[in-house]
Amino acid sequence: MSSESGGPPWIAYNPDGSIHFGGVPDRLLNHPEMRRRGIKLGGAMNPGFVFRSIPTEDPQFIVKVLNLDTEELPIYERLLRELKSPRNHTIPCEIYREGHPLLIMPYLVQLDSLVIRDCPSLGRLLQIMQELAEGVEFLHQRHIAHLDICFNNIVAALGEHVSTHPASGLVFGRPYIIDFDTSRQLALGPGDQHAITLPSTQLPPPNDLKHFDPYSWDMYCLGRVYERIVDDFSFCTKYSPRVAWWCARWVVGEERGCLTTCRCRPSARTVRQVLSFIRVAAPLVEACERLYDRFFASPPARSQA
């Protein structure tokens, strides 16, 4: 049994009428577009909203039931029109519009898989950080604030994804920003926008603040993502890059509770430019830091955060 009308959540039920939180509702299992594409959905990633195809069958897909009470659909419509832009880090996907809108996209992995499998050097780590800043800058230039940037909302394409989705336009090693269900399209851009009331977010705001410059909030969250990937890189390589840690903490900033335009942290554009400059010297910086660590420092310990 499953819910049969209206928008999300689309709930799957057990035979006894209880909710099957990991299940796929019949209306999606039997959906004509799933049949046409040969997509066999195997379970829920976010019950009622996001579903994944069977992991053992390639190509693998994610199907998201769009909530029309949010701005996610119009935001995706805008971003997908500019997929050819190299600065656009929106995952290549399709909007199915007959009946209730569905978002159909390739299944990708979380960002830590990219760091573990394709990040052997400081230069590559800084490249990933720069591309993330580039993706956020692309949104902010269009007055789009994501408002829930976090590790769970950034995915990456590896070789197996590119090969099983050859027509999708996926780029190997590229991070993609997903999930715009709490995002906002704003009248003013960075540097002009005042604080707004934050929606529910996966990362807790500093100092229990309820109001934030939305663009500055995105940068705070990006800084926290930077901390996570630098920590992963440090653990995997036994090399803790001081310049990358500095950048992460610089982006997190020192929160002062601004209610007007926030100056507590840099803009996405500034971060992208600084990382681009640092990357030029990355091989020399890494060689010097590794030499120092070899003779004077202990191997880095894994963060408990």
Side-chain angles (χ1 to χ4, degrees):
M1 299 174 62
S2 67
S3 55
E4 295 297 337
S5 62
W10 287 9
I11 303 298
Y13 294 93
N14 293 309
D16 64 0
S18 61
I19 295 176
H20 183 193
F21 289 102
V24 181
D26 291 344
R27 68 185 296 189
L28 203 50
L29 283 173
N30 301 320
H31 197 285
E33 187 64 8
M34 301 303 108
R35 291 182 172 180
R36 186 185 74 82
R37 293 171 179 257
I39 298 176
K40 299 177 182 179
L41 295 174
M45 298 188 70
N46 181 5
F49 295 89
V50 182
F51 304 88
R52 178 185 175 182
S53 62
I54 297 173
T56 55
E57 294 190 15
D58 288 328
Q60 297 180 43
F61 291 91
I62 295 291
V63 177
K64 182 170 188 176
V65 184
L66 292 173
N67 185 349
L68 300 185
D69 292 331
T70 73
E71 297 185 50
E72 187 164 28
L73 176 58
I75 287 174
Y76 266 113
E77 288 175 332
R78 290 178 61 191
L79 296 176
L80 292 177
R81 285 196 290 267
E82 298 187 74
L83 269 185
K84 291 184 179 180
S85 170
R87 299 181 299 111
N88 186 353
H89 287 257
T90 306
I91 187 171
C93 56
E94 297 179 58
I95 301 171
Y96 177 79
R97 302 174 185 276
E98 294 185 24
H100 191 90
L102 304 174
L103 196 66
I104 304 173
M105 68 187 81
Y107 171 79
L108 303 183
V109 294
Q110 285 194 317
L111 193 57
D112 55 353
S113 294
L114 179 62
V115 174
I116 293 168
R117 294 175 56 179
D118 183 46
C119 194
S121 67
L122 174 62
R124 176 61 175 136
L125 174 65
L126 294 176
Q127 179 186 4
I128 294 171
M129 295 170 71
Q130 180 184 341
E131 288 184 357
L132 289 171
E134 179 181 70
V136 175
E137 179 189 11
F138 185 85
L139 297 176
H140 290 182
Q141 287 178 332
R142 284 146 187 80
H143 296 187
I144 297 171
H146 187 282
L147 298 179
D148 200 20
I149 292 174
C150 63
F151 212 73
N152 291 334
N153 286 339
I154 300 173
V155 295
L158 300 178
E160 57 265 33
H161 307 120
V162 175
S163 63
T164 55
H165 295 275
S168 66
L170 288 172
V171 178
F172 172 77
R174 186 174 177 85
Y176 294 97
I177 300 170
I178 61 171
D179 284 356
F180 293 88
D181 44 314
T182 60
S183 302
R184 292 273 305 276
Q185 300 176 92
L186 302 162
L188 300 176
D192 298 312
Q193 176 67 46
H194 288 194
I196 65 171
T197 302
L198 285 180
S200 175
T201 59
Q202 296 189 53
L203 286 178
N207 305 326
D208 294 323
L209 292 173
K210 305 298 182 185
H211 298 84
F212 240 97
D213 173 333
Y215 302 112
S216 183
W217 171 247
D218 276 356
M219 295 310 296
Y220 171 83
C221 295
L222 180 62
R224 293 302 188 195
V225 171
Y226 282 173
E227 289 180 335
R228 172 76 179 269
I229 63 175
V230 176
D231 186 51
D232 284 344
F233 174 85
S234 301
F235 181 76
C236 291
T237 63
K238 306 306 180 204
Y239 157 52
S240 188
R242 293 161 184 79
V243 67
W245 279 117
W246 169 83
C247 184
R249 290 160 183 157
W250 171 55
V251 176
V252 169
E254 279 192 46
E255 183 54 45
R256 295 186 289 271
C258 307
L259 293 179
T260 57
T261 302
C262 184
R263 306 294 181 189
C264 299
R265 53 195 57 85
S267 68
R269 181 172 183 267
T270 298
V271 173
R272 175 186 58 79
Q273 291 173 331
V274 169
L275 284 168
S276 177
F277 176 78
I278 296 174
R279 280 182 61 198
V280 175
L284 178 60
V285 171
E286 179 171 0
C288 292
E289 289 193 339
R290 284 185 179 273
L291 189 63
Y292 176 87
D293 289 344
R294 179 179 178 183
F295 292 103
F296 302 106
S298 301
R302 191 73 187 266
S303 169
Q304 299 300 313

